[in-house]
Every structure is written in structure tokens, then in C-alpha cells.
Amino acid sequence: MSNSARFFFGNLTLLALFNVCIPVTALAAGQQLQASGMKSGPYTLTDDMIEARASEYVMRRFPGEHLIPVRILSGVRNPGTYYLPEGTDLITAVALSGGLTPTANSEKLHWNQWATQKSATLDLGDAVAEPQKQNPKLGANDILMFEESKPWISNNTVVLVSIITGVLSIALGAKALTK
């Protein structure tokens, strides 16, 4: 392994000890990493990186830990692929992805299990209420998707009504000025 790769993964491991979920694409782009004011080598985790909403994230508790990919595709603030330690449970994965969006339905979580080729619909509320029974461990390549409710009026409709209202206001104002 080259010195630059060893330095990169050494700093990545150091940050992971603080249970920081790091956006991988931001790291690959060479951005700075800073965790709550602490610096680790030249990398610092900035608010800009968090707002960039990278599509891949890594969470590691200690060096050499085996990570599995889990895809959280809808209903969470930061959807994407998460590389998590083996044995990570459902609640932890949802928390690492930023929690639910306001439109997500916590009672309709679709969980596709790669290893068994099975699908299940879970209620996140049950998992929180009874974590020993309802909080399953995720496996490699599992996919999680929350159903999301659709708004009654779309953003496009609001924009269209705003434009029409603006045009009518200008036309009526011009007509009033010409009298």
C-alpha cells in the first residue's frame, strides 16, 4: 500500500473511532474533514460536505472491522449506500442516514433482504418500542425504502399559480394606471 493510501485510510479510521459517518464521495474529491472542531491530519469534516449529500457513506467503529453495504433509498434525509459494520441494526442505520423525512411513513418500511431473497414490510415504531423483537440486524446488500406521502398540491402547481397571479396583477395594475 502506498504512503498516501496508508495516510488516507489511517485518517479515515481515526475519524471512524468517533462514530462519524463520512461521505465517501466528498473524501474522494479531496475535501477537508473536521469532526466538531477536531482535526485529523489535513482532513476536516465541514458543514459544506454534510450539505453536499454524498451518495455513499462509511461508518466504522474500529480499524479492520468488516463492513457491509446497505442501501437506504427513500424516506430518509441522506439516502444512499452505507458501508456499516456487520450486525448493524435497523434503528442504527436509519439514524445514521439522518432520520426520516417529513413525508416518510414510518409504518411502511420495505426491507429487501439480499441473502434470503425475501421482502418484508416493517413498522419503525414497533422497532423502537420493542428493539429486542422488532429491530432486525441488516445483512450485506439489503435495501431499505420508506413509503413517502405525496403532497396534495405539487411544487409545480404552486409555481404556475404564482406566475399567473403575478401576470394578472401586472395587467390589472397597468389597466388601472391607464384610466
Side-chain angles (χ1 to χ4, degrees):
M1 184 182 298
S2 71
N3 284 340
S4 60
R6 190 172 297 124
F7 178 76
F8 173 79
F9 286 108
N11 284 315
L12 182 64
T13 303
L14 179 62
L15 283 170
L17 290 174
F18 297 103
N19 286 325
V20 174
C21 194
I22 302 167
V24 173
T25 54
L27 277 174
Q31 293 184 0
Q32 299 291 326
L33 287 176
Q34 173 183 350
S36 63
M38 297 183 336
K39 291 187 177 180
S40 170
Y43 299 102
T44 54
L45 181 62
T46 64
D47 290 338
D48 296 335
M49 255 177 62
I50 294 168
E51 289 301 316
R53 307 218 181 217
S55 61
E56 291 185 280
Y57 302 86
V58 174
M59 193 289 205
R60 177 176 279 150
R61 292 178 291 230
F62 56 86
E65 186 172 29
H66 185 258
L67 301 177
I68 58 170
V70 174
R71 287 162 191 79
I72 306 175
L73 301 179
S74 65
V76 293
R77 297 195 187 280
N78 300 311
T81 301
Y82 287 80
Y83 297 94
L84 305 171
E86 266 186 310
T88 299
D89 59 46
L90 172 66
I91 294 172
T92 302
V94 172
L96 286 171
S97 65
L100 300 180
T101 61
T103 59
N105 183 351
S106 66
E107 297 175 358
K108 301 245 176 161
L109 166 63
H110 301 285
W111 176 31
N112 296 321
Q113 302 170 38
W114 177 263
T116 60
Q117 297 296 311
K118 293 182 181 179
S119 295
T121 301
L122 304 173
D123 183 345
L124 190 62
D126 290 344
V128 171
E130 298 182 63
Q132 297 81 9
K133 296 179 183 177
Q134 305 292 330
N135 190 17
K137 303 287 185 207
L138 301 175
N141 298 312
D142 283 359
I143 299 173
L144 302 173
M145 296 179 293
F146 286 94
E147 283 188 17
E148 295 189 79
S149 60
K150 305 244 189 253
W152 286 41
I153 299 174
S154 74
N155 287 340
N156 293 338
T157 305
V158 172
V159 169
L160 182 62
V161 169
S162 298
I163 291 171
I164 291 171
T165 306
V167 169
L168 287 175
S169 298
I170 292 170
L172 291 174
K175 183 176 180 181
L177 287 175
T178 58
K179 283 188 178 184

